[in-house]
Amino acid sequence: MTDTALDISLTVNGERIAERVDARTTLVDFLRESLALTGSHVGCEHGVCGACTVRVNGEIVRGCLMLAAQCDGATVETIEGLSDAGEVADLQTAFEQRNALQCGFCTPGMVLTAQDLLKRNGTPTRDEIREHISGNYCRCTGYQAIVDAVESVAQTRAGGKT
Ligand code: FES
Ligand code: FES
């Protein structure tokens, strides 16, 4: 740790955390390396691929473009938190059933982004789904199965309205 270290406190997946971080540490590196929350992935490291997507104060952000120090006082949620809470269980099941993942590298970010869309717009069109996930790169699936999975969850949620 250098003399640029800062003390921060934040809530991560419902747990209060107090840590000393280097001022230059990105949020995703902090989550992965200090908190062992490795579900958020590091791909491009410059805001393009979406693999590092997490939620800060309810909004999805690129974890590689935000500094951990900027999250002092914030509420951060990662795929681990959403998964443990069951918030995205239907999306996870749909991704699995429809083969919407292969290597899985993009999947945590993709699921967070899909959940963000479905919270804003419960019945998106396929074009709206494509538009919303367009900032999340997938090198494996060709996206068709991902759109199918998100669409099926939207329809089920809209029909079931749990
Ligand atoms: S690693 Fe953050 S957008 Fe690619
Ligand atoms: S499943 Fe491999 S990058 Fe999307």
Side-chain angles (χ1 to χ4, degrees), residues 95 100 106 110 129 133 138 141 143-151:
F95 269 57
C106 70
M110 198 69 85
I129 294 170
I133 64 169
C138 177
T141 66
Y143 297 96
Q144 194 73 15
I146 294 173
V147 176
D148 290 346
V150 176
E151 183 181 43

Side-chain angles (χ1 to χ4, degrees), residues 10-15 17 27-33 35-41 51-61 63 71 74-88 92 107-113 115:
L10 65 168
T11 302
V12 180
N13 297 333
E15 189 178 336
I17 305 280
L27 174 58
V28 68
D29 283 345
F30 171 70
L31 292 169
R32 289 176 57 84
E33 292 166 17
L35 305 184
L37 293 169
T38 54
S40 308
H41 293 154
C52 60
T53 302
V54 294
R55 226 155 48 184
V56 176
N57 295 332
E59 302 288 331
I60 54 170
V61 302
C71 294
T75 297
V76 177
E77 295 163 284
T78 70
I79 189 64
E80 289 90 346
L82 270 64
S83 188
D84 287 350
E87 181 182 334
V88 290
Q92 291 169 313
T107 310
M110 198 69 85
V111 167
L112 261 96
T113 300
Q115 174 67 352

